[in-house]
Amino acid sequence: VGLPAGLTIPTDMEQLRKLCRRPEDGAEPPLSAVEIRGRELILYWRGMRKDQVIEVPVDLIAQIPGTYRGPASRAYVYYNATTKTWIEPLSVTIQAR
């Protein structure tokens, strides 16, 4: 997921780390792993069903007022980057207090 400039993920990444932990009921966690590379939030799943929809809540910190657009986001099967699916970049407007 390409993140627009002006936004950052909290440094402790606690919200995302919790999504990678197995719930108390023993079910699969919503995410398998997560990493940050520059302005990209990289989310990993061990598997998905065809047409499965997964919502991942992510709280971001707005730091610098302005209008920003992130890099395009994409999804693909790990080790098969030739079949990428792209979506429009995310946009955000941050207003000063």
Side-chain angles (χ1 to χ4, degrees):
V1 178
L3 300 175
L7 296 175
T8 60
I9 294 174
T11 54
D12 66 3
M13 290 181 42
E14 186 57 29
Q15 180 187 31
L16 293 167
R17 289 175 207 240
K18 283 181 182 178
L19 293 172
C20 294
R21 293 186 201 126
R22 187 172 296 276
E24 291 180 14
D25 65 6
E28 284 297 314
L31 289 173
S32 297
V34 64
E35 69 179 278
I36 298 173
R37 205 176 294 155
R39 287 179 36 212
E40 294 182 319
L41 171 61
I42 303 165
L43 309 172
Y44 296 91
W45 287 271
R46 295 211 185 278
M48 293 179 76
R49 295 182 314 276
K50 183 180 178 180
D51 299 323
Q52 180 178 2
V53 175
I54 300 174
E55 292 185 23
V56 180
V58 179
D59 293 331
L60 301 171
I61 299 169
Q63 291 189 316
I64 304 167
T67 299
Y68 304 99
R69 183 176 161 152
S73 298
R74 64 209 172 275
Y76 56 93
V77 176
Y78 199 67
Y79 290 124
N80 188 4
T82 59
T83 57
K84 290 181 183 178
T85 299
W86 295 85
I87 65 165
E88 288 293 316
L90 299 174
S91 297
V92 65
T93 298
I94 302 170
Q95 297 180 349
R97 288 187 181 183

